[in-house]
Amino acid sequence: MSKVPTLRLDRLLANMGYGSRREVQQLVYAGLVTLDGEVIEDEDQRIVITRDLSERMIVRGKPLDPPPGLALMLHKPLGVTCSHKEAGPLVYSLLPERWRRRDPAISTIGRLDKETSGLLLMTDDGNLLHRIISPRANISKRYRVTLDRPLRGDEAEIFAAGTLMLEGEDKPLLPAAMEKISETSATLTLTEGRYHQVRRMFAAVGNHVTALHRDRMGDLVLPEDLKAGEYRLLTEADLALILPPAKSV
Ligand code: URA
């Protein structure tokens, strides 16, 4: 049986960005932290970290932020970047300010280009991150692609063959499934994530991607009511849609 994680209250709140341990101590002494309706008096009280902690702990009159082990989906808008190396606002700027001061930090599970929108997962759980990005997990990712020129007609066959070699690479791409939507749009479902893969695949067949949007990972579909720039915590049920037991590694 796996051990239930516990942390001292001051360590927990400091790690969640509520301030230094000394500042958290002051919050506790001021009676501003309650658990199950009772004021916590000792900053060294060990807290059992459960998913429902935000419903049970109140800090300065507000429910506790999601405890460590959080996972979320963000509807990434165009123009924000997943990488500190790229210019422009980061996806982290779309999360509450305090969440950006957490330890362990929240990171993206894989990346989307600055000019790609759609479903982006984020977590502070390194184990979950690795389970999702591991090639062995084989998680599909579906993209809606808008193209500059009409489809030729042979793209689906070429992408499905598992023989397409991208420029500068020495290993062919795994088979990918393309479904035509119109003359200049399609969905493309991949099970790997090479650099600028979708754009380079269409470049390899003489086309150019003018808009790219990811709308699905595994069986998890980006909800229609989650607007660009908004995020939502993932439930256990959502995670099961991404990592069904049979596919978990
Ligand atoms: N393929 C791309 O070219 N860009 C992305 O952001 C994701 C897949």
Side-chain angles (χ1 to χ4, degrees), residues 110-154:
R111 287 181 182 167
L112 289 176
D113 299 338
K114 189 170 176 180
E115 293 313 326
T116 301
S117 57
L119 178 59
L120 180 69
L121 305 182
M122 300 171 89
T123 187
D124 63 356
D125 178 346
N127 186 37
L128 176 68
L129 186 147
H130 286 111
R131 284 173 65 207
I132 295 178
I133 62 172
S134 163
R136 283 185 298 156
N138 207 31
I139 292 169
S140 63
K141 284 150 279 200
R142 187 175 71 189
Y143 296 87
R144 274 197 279 124
V145 189
T146 310
L147 298 160
D148 199 24
R149 290 183 273 281
L151 288 159
R152 300 189 311 212
D154 58 354

Side-chain angles (χ1 to χ4, degrees), residues 39-226:
V39 171
I40 302 186
E41 290 178 356
D42 297 313
E43 75 277 13
D44 63 359
Q45 181 171 328
R46 286 202 86 82
I47 305 294
V48 181
I49 313 222
T50 52
R51 277 193 161 244
D52 66 353
L53 204 53
S54 309
E55 289 148 40
R56 298 171 45 221
M57 187 177 281
I58 306 284
V59 182
R60 271 199 221 98
K62 302 235 169 73
L64 180 75
D65 293 342
L70 80 78
L72 60 87
M73 59 173 133
L74 172 75
H75 182 161
K76 180 193 169 298
L78 296 175
V80 297
T81 157
C82 295
S83 164
H84 293 272
K85 289 183 192 146
E86 262 189 285
L90 284 160
V91 286
Y92 305 102
S93 66
L94 298 166
L95 302 180
E97 202 267 332
R98 187 167 47 230
W99 295 22
R100 291 179 245 152
R101 285 186 266 121
R102 291 169 65 115
D103 177 17
I106 300 173
S107 34
T108 64
I109 303 180
R111 287 181 182 167
L112 289 176
D113 299 338
K114 189 170 176 180
E115 293 313 326
T116 301
S117 57
L119 178 59
L120 180 69
L121 305 182
M122 300 171 89
T123 187
D124 63 356
D125 178 346
N127 186 37
L128 176 68
L129 186 147
H130 286 111
R131 284 173 65 207
I132 295 178
I133 62 172
S134 163
R136 283 185 298 156
N138 207 31
I139 292 169
S140 63
K141 284 150 279 200
R142 187 175 71 189
Y143 296 87
R144 274 197 279 124
V145 189
T146 310
L147 298 160
D148 199 24
R149 290 183 273 281
L151 288 159
R152 300 189 311 212
D154 58 354
E155 294 89 346
E157 200 183 326
I158 292 172
F159 296 158
T163 52
L164 183 65
M165 195 79 90
L166 292 179
E167 219 178 289
E169 299 204 356
D170 53 13
K171 217 172 134 215
L173 294 175
L174 293 174
M178 193 202 91
E179 282 183 35
K180 181 173 168 178
I181 299 174
S182 72
E183 284 309 314
T184 53
S185 63
T187 63
L188 183 61
T189 304
L190 311 178
T191 54
E192 52 187 344
R194 301 199 201 176
Y195 180 68
H196 286 178
Q197 183 168 340
V198 175
R199 294 175 204 275
R200 289 164 73 210
M201 286 173 76
F202 279 97
V205 291
N207 214 322
H208 176 72
V209 172
T210 54
L212 189 55
H213 176 84
R214 182 159 73 193
D215 67 354
R216 181 173 178 144
M217 290 179 72
D219 287 333
L220 179 73
V221 176
L222 183 70
E224 286 200 358
D225 62 351
L226 192 68

Side-chain angles (χ1 to χ4, degrees), residues 220-241:
L220 179 73
V221 176
L222 183 70
E224 286 200 358
D225 62 351
L226 192 68
K227 303 283 174 258
E230 292 180 350
Y231 64 88
R232 187 172 296 169
L233 292 178
L234 293 179
T235 62
E236 289 293 339
D238 293 327
L239 286 170
L241 292 174

